[in-house]
Amino acid sequence: MSPREHLVFITGRMAKARLEKVAATLPPERFAWSIADAGVKVAALMTEEIIRRRVTIPEGATRIVLPGRCRANPEALAAHFGLPVERGPDEIVDLPAYLGLAGRIVDLSRHDLRIFSEIVDASKMTPDQILAKGLDLARRGADVIDLGGLPDTEFPHLEECVRLLKGAGLKVSVDSFSLDELTRGAKAGADFLLSLNEDTLDLAFETDSVPVLVPVRPDDLASLDRAIERMEKAGRPYMADPILEPIHFGFVESITRYHQTRQRWPNSEMMMGTGNLTELTEADSLGITALLVGMCSELAIRNVLIVQVSNHTRRTVEEHDAARRVMFAAKADSALPKGYGRSLLALHDKRPYVQTPDEIAAQAAEVRDPNYRVAVAEDGVHIYNRDVHKVGTDAMAFFPDLNVAEDGAHAFYLGGELTKAETAWRLGKRYVQDEALVWGAAADAEIEDTTAFKKAGHTKHSGPDRAPIPEADAGQPETVAQKAAPAADAVSEAPAVPGARIVCGKLVPAGEA
């Protein structure tokens, strides 16, 4: 058994009680802990200088955990204290999961699914436009740039485009119904050809390009079997794609064909073209993508062809990239795809509310300044300062109570924040004042310097670019008695089976991964 760690959580006064409550749920056989009050009310306003001057680390500590929004430099503090220092989660309620108490360590750096991203109108674009598009798709997560040919549309610059993309270090496939275009693409150096059937399969033996095999007709699975058998006998590489069809036009039967193909050819490389679902279903594409990539994970399909034509699929590369990482991690853990981050949750969050109404009320009672704080709980949007604490569900209805009619800049700021908070409450998303809502793979996340404060905006607060003024009576670190948490506050339940553990809500017997 590994020795028990002694964690030191550095925080501010207002978060201390909540931190104690969550820390008390940590298993005492794994963690001892202390809480260091850095002498500021709001932990996010702690600086390296404040922490160095006001925090004393107790003897026996093994590592130090900063609040997620603290803008101090962990490396600089580690050099000062002589102990590992790390930035913890933004929200206290996420601390147990951060410490690995969810039964596994989440690693989303790996995947086994190759993304072919099609440029559907490549024949109408210039070579420079195609190169720029290809580089952008690769930046977003595509592994292969697919040049799509259009019926009855000449593609005279096909060879030039293949060479340009290859010269930029990109993998290239050519997707066309024209055998002539496939031949030209192969001779120019294309890595893959989409798609060949048993009637056009001779081309696969005339080039080094890897063919993607399809049935002559979607419902003619036997023709795909014959093409596969020919490639197997020749010992040539290939992929098999039974063709995914749209809903009400053979979708369920096509899924069955993927399953049948995998059963008949357990070691074959396979491909699924997901565009017939994402493009041809007017529903948010992220959930559809997660489902299809989950099917690929179960069937060991390691290639997907994706397409983005409709506006509602504008993030399809990022969505497939996020889904393949989540599904790979869950499969490696023999687990459900739950608890692997928020990338596949765009509209709703699993734990949207990080404080209860009572906790917000207790925090509001401690405020002694006129600066407005905004928070969201199950009962609605809260806004409070030393003079007022209002709760509601309509952002604009707060205006008469906020005394900002003569302060346009502040009213503008509060209107924006309250509207964002209302949106979060209505959708069941997490809200953090002065932070953008998190939309998972559906939108780019803001890139921020976690060691620097944000610049002050038009708000009625001290502004994060000003040095925070710590209270004179800053507390010293203290070890709170580690009592067992009440059942209602428990973060996770112990499995009833001895030696078993819960992995993403699934009971896993002892000894299993």
Side-chain angles (χ1 to χ4, degrees):
M1 179 180 293
S2 58
R4 186 170 71 154
E5 287 192 85
H6 184 159
L7 307 177
V8 177
F9 302 112
I10 299 179
T11 191
R13 186 170 303 164
M14 296 188 72
K16 184 178 176 182
R18 284 188 295 135
L19 180 56
E20 288 177 355
K21 183 178 179 181
V22 172
T25 69
L26 302 180
E29 68 277 8
R30 289 185 55 182
F31 300 107
W33 49 268
S34 305
I35 294 177
D37 185 341
V40 295
K41 284 186 177 179
V42 181
L45 296 183
M46 294 188 300
T47 65
E48 288 174 35
E49 179 60 25
I50 287 175
I51 294 173
R52 282 195 297 264
R53 286 192 295 106
R54 294 193 169 272
V55 170
T56 302
I57 302 302
E59 189 173 345
T62 56
R63 60 172 160 149
I64 300 168
V65 181
L66 301 175
R69 296 191 183 92
C70 173
R71 289 313 189 241
N73 187 328
E75 294 182 2
L77 290 174
H80 173 76
F81 289 116
L83 287 173
V85 178
E86 58 201 61
R87 196 182 309 281
D90 286 350
E91 303 296 346
I92 292 173
V93 294
D94 297 327
L95 187 59
Y98 171 81
L99 294 173
L101 299 178
R104 54 182 155 58
I105 297 175
V106 175
D107 177 11
L108 298 180
S109 65
R110 300 179 298 158
H111 63 81
D112 62 353
L113 186 69
R114 182 165 42 194
I115 295 175
F116 287 65
S117 186
E118 182 178 2
I119 303 176
V120 295
D121 52 353
S123 57
K124 295 182 178 181
M125 299 169 65
T126 68
D128 287 342
Q129 289 174 329
I130 288 175
L131 177 60
K133 180 69 172 179
L135 291 171
D136 180 61
L137 291 171
R139 176 188 64 81
R140 294 172 180 268
D143 303 296
V144 182
I145 307 306
D146 183 65
L147 298 178
L150 296 173
D152 303 320
T153 303
E154 294 185 356
F155 199 163
H157 49 301
L158 171 61
E159 292 89 343
E160 181 182 358
C161 293
V162 172
R163 287 190 287 266
L164 267 178
L165 293 169
K166 294 285 291 181
L170 302 175
K171 294 285 187 181
V172 182
S173 61
V174 174
D175 189 352
S176 177
F177 291 110
S178 167
L179 195 59
D180 175 65
E181 286 183 349
L182 292 174
T183 302
R184 289 166 51 209
K187 290 181 178 179
D191 301 281
F192 306 93
L193 299 179
L194 285 72
S195 303
L196 299 178
N197 59 42
E198 66 173 341
D199 296 336
T200 58
L201 193 53
D202 287 346
L203 178 58
F205 297 88
E206 300 170 6
T207 174
D208 291 330
S209 302
V210 176
V212 176
L213 309 181
V214 297
V216 174
R217 298 185 317 275
D219 61 350
D220 186 3
L221 196 57
S223 68
L224 177 60
D225 286 333
R226 290 190 292 269
I228 293 174
E229 186 175 8
R230 185 177 172 190
M231 295 300 290
E232 288 281 343
K233 286 182 178 179
R236 301 290 295 264
Y238 68 91
M239 299 179 207
D241 183 356
I243 306 298
L244 186 70
E245 295 189 275
I247 293 172
H248 297 152
F249 290 86
F251 168 61
V252 173
E253 290 185 5
S254 66
I255 290 296
T256 301
R257 289 195 292 269
Y258 278 94
H259 184 235
Q260 292 172 344
T261 300
R262 174 51 74 213
Q263 287 184 316
R264 295 177 191 178
W265 305 97
N267 299 317
S268 292
E269 286 290 336
M270 291 180 65
M271 170 180 279
M272 177 183 286
T274 60
N276 275 348
L277 261 289
T278 58
E279 285 285 326
L280 302 181
T281 307
E282 288 192 356
D284 291 329
S285 57
L286 182 53
I288 295 173
T289 296
L291 178 62
L292 293 178
V293 174
M295 291 181 181
C296 289
S297 181
E298 283 205 2
L299 294 173
I301 297 172
R302 302 197 301 171
N303 303 272
V304 288
L305 174 65
I306 70 174
V307 60
Q308 191 271 300
V309 177
S310 304
N311 283 327
H312 78 281
T313 63
R314 68 186 68 191
R315 298 280 297 183
T316 190
V317 179
E318 290 88 346
E319 291 171 0
H320 280 80
D321 181 50
R324 65 180 173 177
R325 297 174 187 278
V326 169
M327 297 303 168
F328 182 91
K331 187 175 183 178
D333 290 337
S334 299
L336 298 170
K338 297 178 63 177
Y340 290 87
R342 301 164 68 188
S343 62
L344 300 183
L345 294 171
L347 293 181
H348 316 294
D349 273 318
K350 185 177 179 180
R351 299 187 69 181
Y353 310 117
V354 299
Q355 290 179 278
T356 66
D358 289 343
E359 288 173 336
I360 295 175
Q363 194 164 308
E366 296 183 19
V367 173
R368 299 293 181 265
D369 59 66
N371 307 327
Y372 284 109
R373 282 81 166 172
V374 182
V376 173
E378 287 187 77
D379 59 342
V381 178
H382 292 243
I383 184 167
Y384 59 91
N385 63 7
R386 68 185 179 191
D387 304 313
V388 64
H389 180 183
K390 295 291 182 179
V391 185
T393 58
D394 181 351
M396 296 299 106
F398 288 104
F399 181 76
D401 299 308
L402 301 184
N403 193 29
V404 291
E406 305 301 322
D407 187 346
H410 196 204
F412 184 88
Y413 163 78
L414 289 177
E417 280 300 313
L418 290 167
T419 299
K420 184 176 67 176
E422 180 189 337
T423 299
W425 179 78
R426 292 190 181 280
L427 290 177
K429 294 184 65 63
R430 282 196 178 182
Y431 166 84
V432 179
Q433 189 170 356
D434 294 327
E435 301 287 343
L437 297 179
V438 176
W439 300 101
D444 285 333
E446 288 189 350
I447 299 175
E448 58 179 337
D449 181 356
T450 57
T451 65
F453 289 106
K454 294 183 178 181
K455 293 182 179 179
H458 297 292
T459 66
K460 284 271 190 175
H461 56 62
S462 60
D465 59 341
R466 303 182 188 179
I469 302 174
E471 289 81 358
D473 57 343
Q476 293 297 315
E478 59 176 309
T479 302
V480 182
Q482 299 176 22
K483 300 177 182 178
D489 297 331
V491 176
S492 60
E493 295 180 329
V497 182
R501 60 195 179 96
I502 298 293
V503 179
C504 281
K506 180 180 180 181
L507 184 65
V508 179
E512 290 191 13

